[in-house]
Amino acid sequence: MKFNTKAIHGGQKIEQTTGAVVPPIFQTSTFAQFSVEENQEYNYSRGSNPTRTALEKSLASIENGSHGFAFSSGLAAIDCVLRTLKPGDEIIAGNDLYGGTYRLFTQLFEKYGLEFTYVNMESEKAILKSISDKTKLIWLETPTNPLLKIEDIKAICSAVKTVNSDILIGVDNTFATPYLQQPLNLGADIVMHSVTKYLGGHSDLIMGALIVKDEKLAKEIHFIQFAAGAIASPMDCFLALRGIKTLPIRMQRHCENAVEVAHFLKNHPKVGNVYFPGLEGHPNYEIAKKQMKNFGGVVSFTLKDESEKAAFKFLENIKLFTLAESLGGVESMVNHSATMSHASMPKATRLKAGISDSLIRLSVGIEDIDDLLKDLKNALSQ
């Protein structure tokens, strides 16, 4: 099946008891067992639930994996990946990470004995130079949050696996979605999504996901999911399944609108830098063009007046873009990275990564583009 068809039918089947076209919400904690000696397919919803199974099969299908896992949040999914490691193991990650991921790494798992090295993931040489005998995981995020750097997944996977085929490579694919890129096809071992964002698409659920191909790794992830219990609820799984069905058509509009917004900002006299991989001046434009079907729905920018005060003034004047945490919903949202998504990152670290006080991240929604541009123009003119 082609992707648009997979989004609707991939991994799905008609519900057997009633013939329901849409997988029902099995809002139950436990399942009756008809014999002590014979286990049914489902027995307790922490282990598995039919609604979650339907979603997990859909996730595996659209990412071309063999196993999907739905968690209570994106961070819970990353937490599961880190639990496959042991004290003393090293993780190499990008120096431009989502603030919540950085917080999880530095404030929780460093206490448990994992070691983290942060490098510029745009450079394969920097990654290879950092690999040691202790390296067990490379954690990629592409496009990155919020600077929208693009990492060459295929080249990195090939280079790392040549050095040590046992090193796992995980990719946070939240910004791109499987509609735009499929990391497992490019050599990655694990794909992670904050389903909260584009996959859900309607700002009405919190969820994370992991997708893998390797059977042994899938069994380990399932055990951790079952043992630790950070599972997605049946209701949220139902909502995520509904969201995935419209993912292709939503992403088309997100991408179309984002290109228009990026060009508008690039040509505005009050705007400093514009970060969007679809602009030919972006340093990773060629990689993005090769690796992604389109360039995504997020645009970040700075003002020429780089003060926090100027950024706050813009945020107070914008109306149609909702000032809020998160992204990827049908509605446009605006985020001040320094005080919101990356507030937990120390200022020196944040500034070193290039996340300035005037950096503003736009999640461009699917509204009429004329209305979005008018809103930006009004906010910048005041």
Side-chain angles (χ1 to χ4, degrees):
M1 289 185 287
K2 299 276 178 82
F3 188 88
N4 289 10
T5 309
K6 277 186 176 182
I8 297 170
H9 299 287
Q12 304 304 294
K13 61 183 180 181
I14 300 299
E15 201 273 323
Q16 295 298 303
T17 304
T18 65
V21 174
V22 176
I25 305 169
F26 285 87
Q27 196 69 43
T28 182
S29 60
T30 192
F31 301 83
Q33 303 300 298
F34 305 122
S35 168
V36 175
E37 298 178 344
E38 182 180 352
N39 288 328
Q40 303 300 308
E41 181 179 0
Y42 298 98
N43 52 63
Y44 190 59
S45 279
R46 174 161 43 80
S48 58
N49 175 284
T51 314
R52 193 166 85 238
T53 296
L55 171 62
E56 291 175 338
K57 288 183 179 295
S58 173
L59 291 166
S61 175
I62 60 177
E63 277 288 9
N64 285 338
S66 58
H67 297 79
F69 304 91
F71 293 84
S72 54
S73 70
L75 287 172
I78 300 173
D79 174 270
C80 178
V81 174
L82 297 180
R83 287 173 188 263
T84 67
L85 307 177
K86 63 182 186 300
D89 288 346
E90 179 191 44
I91 299 91
I92 298 174
N95 57 6
D96 172 27
L97 279 176
Y98 163 54
T101 304
Y102 182 82
R103 180 178 58 232
L104 181 71
F105 288 177
T106 58
Q107 296 186 36
L108 282 182
F109 277 91
E110 279 187 358
K111 293 195 302 185
Y112 305 147
L114 295 184
E115 300 177 12
F116 296 87
T117 299
Y118 301 96
V119 303
N120 179 4
M121 288 291 185
E122 297 167 289
S123 168
E124 296 154 43
K125 291 182 179 179
I127 298 171
L128 296 179
K129 187 178 179 181
S130 299
I131 291 175
S132 70
D133 293 339
K134 298 188 294 183
T135 305
K136 303 299 180 185
L137 173 67
I138 309 290
W139 189 255
L140 308 178
E141 182 182 294
T142 181
T144 63
N145 181 5
L147 294 176
L148 301 167
K149 295 177 183 177
I150 304 297
E151 296 151 6
D152 192 329
I153 300 170
K154 186 175 182 178
I156 292 171
C157 290
S158 177
V160 170
K161 294 296 185 179
T162 299
V163 173
N164 185 343
S165 62
D166 291 330
I167 295 175
L168 292 175
I169 300 173
V171 179
D172 183 336
N173 201 29
T174 298
F175 273 34
T177 82
Y179 178 72
L180 300 182
Q181 73 183 13
Q182 296 168 338
L184 295 179
N185 290 351
L186 300 173
D189 300 293
I190 303 169
V191 174
M192 193 286 294
H193 285 280
S194 174
V195 181
T196 310
K197 314 302 193 296
Y198 287 108
L199 294 187
H202 294 79
S203 303
D204 56 8
L205 63 91
I206 300 288
M207 187 187 295
L210 297 176
I211 303 97
V212 301
K213 281 186 174 180
D214 182 75
E215 187 72 30
K216 182 180 178 182
L217 181 58
K219 287 182 178 178
E220 186 172 11
I221 288 173
H222 181 260
F223 172 77
I224 295 169
Q225 183 191 45
F226 169 72
I231 55 166
S233 73
M235 182 66 193
D236 282 349
C237 290
F238 171 85
L239 292 172
L241 264 172
R242 185 187 63 173
I244 288 172
K245 291 178 188 296
T246 62
L247 176 66
I249 197 165
R250 285 187 288 105
M251 288 306 299
Q252 288 174 31
R253 177 59 71 86
H254 283 299
C255 293
E256 290 168 3
N257 282 354
V259 168
E260 295 288 334
V261 166
H263 282 285
F264 167 81
L265 292 170
K266 183 182 178 183
N267 294 316
H268 198 283
K270 287 190 177 180
V271 172
N273 296 316
V274 179
Y275 303 93
F276 182 67
L279 293 175
E280 292 190 15
H282 189 285
N284 311 129
Y285 172 76
E286 291 299 331
I287 297 173
K289 191 175 178 182
K290 173 187 70 173
Q291 183 168 281
M292 300 169 68
K293 183 176 180 178
N294 209 315
F295 301 106
V298 178
V299 181
S300 295
F301 69 100
T302 59
L303 299 169
K304 284 185 177 175
D305 180 346
E306 297 186 354
S307 67
E308 187 178 72
K309 181 180 179 180
F312 283 6
K313 182 180 178 182
F314 170 84
L315 295 170
E316 288 168 0
N317 290 327
I318 201 153
K319 304 301 180 186
L320 192 56
F321 283 77
T322 302
L323 179 63
E325 299 279 3
S326 198
L327 57 100
V330 293
E331 61 284 305
S332 292
M333 289 181 274
V334 59
N335 176 284
H336 183 245
S337 299
T339 59
M340 298 173 76
S341 62
H342 289 68
S344 61
M345 184 177 283
K347 185 172 183 177
T349 303
R350 174 171 56 77
L351 292 175
K352 186 177 180 181
I355 305 170
S356 68
D357 289 340
S358 78
L359 185 72
I360 294 164
R361 188 192 73 196
L362 302 176
S363 173
V364 184
I366 66 172
E367 301 94 340
D368 191 287
I369 186 60
D370 290 341
D371 292 325
L372 295 178
L373 295 181
K374 183 179 178 180
D375 193 35
L376 289 167
K377 184 177 180 180
N378 289 341
L380 287 166
S381 67
Q382 298 183 50

